[in-house]
Amino acid sequence: MKKDGFLAAILQAAVEEEKKKYADKKPNWYTDQKKQLWYMLMNQVDKEPDTEEK
């Protein structure tokens, strides 16, 4: 998919809108920390090598 296509423009607009929403909100340390933990766990799962037996 092209980076300068129609879907990319829609995605970019959605990302910018979300940035505006979160820039105006007060930080919620509890949910932010939970999200960071979740992202860290998902990154660890993605990094695990496949150990399927042939």
Side-chain angles (χ1 to χ4, degrees), residues 1-15:
M1 186 167 95
K2 294 181 185 178
K3 289 186 177 184
D4 58 347
F6 179 68
L7 293 176
I10 293 173
L11 179 62
Q12 185 64 28
V15 167

Side-chain angles (χ1 to χ4, degrees), residues 40-52:
M40 187 264 311
L41 290 173
M42 291 298 106
N43 285 336
Q44 292 298 321
V45 168
D46 289 342
K47 288 181 185 177
E48 289 181 5
D50 294 332
T51 56
E52 296 178 10

Side-chain angles (χ1 to χ4, degrees), residues 17-33:
E17 187 65 29
E18 289 296 315
K19 283 183 182 179
K20 288 179 187 176
K21 277 191 219 175
Y22 288 106
D24 295 336
K25 279 185 6 182
K26 283 186 170 183
N28 184 339
W29 301 112
Y30 179 70
T31 56
D32 291 345
Q33 192 171 20

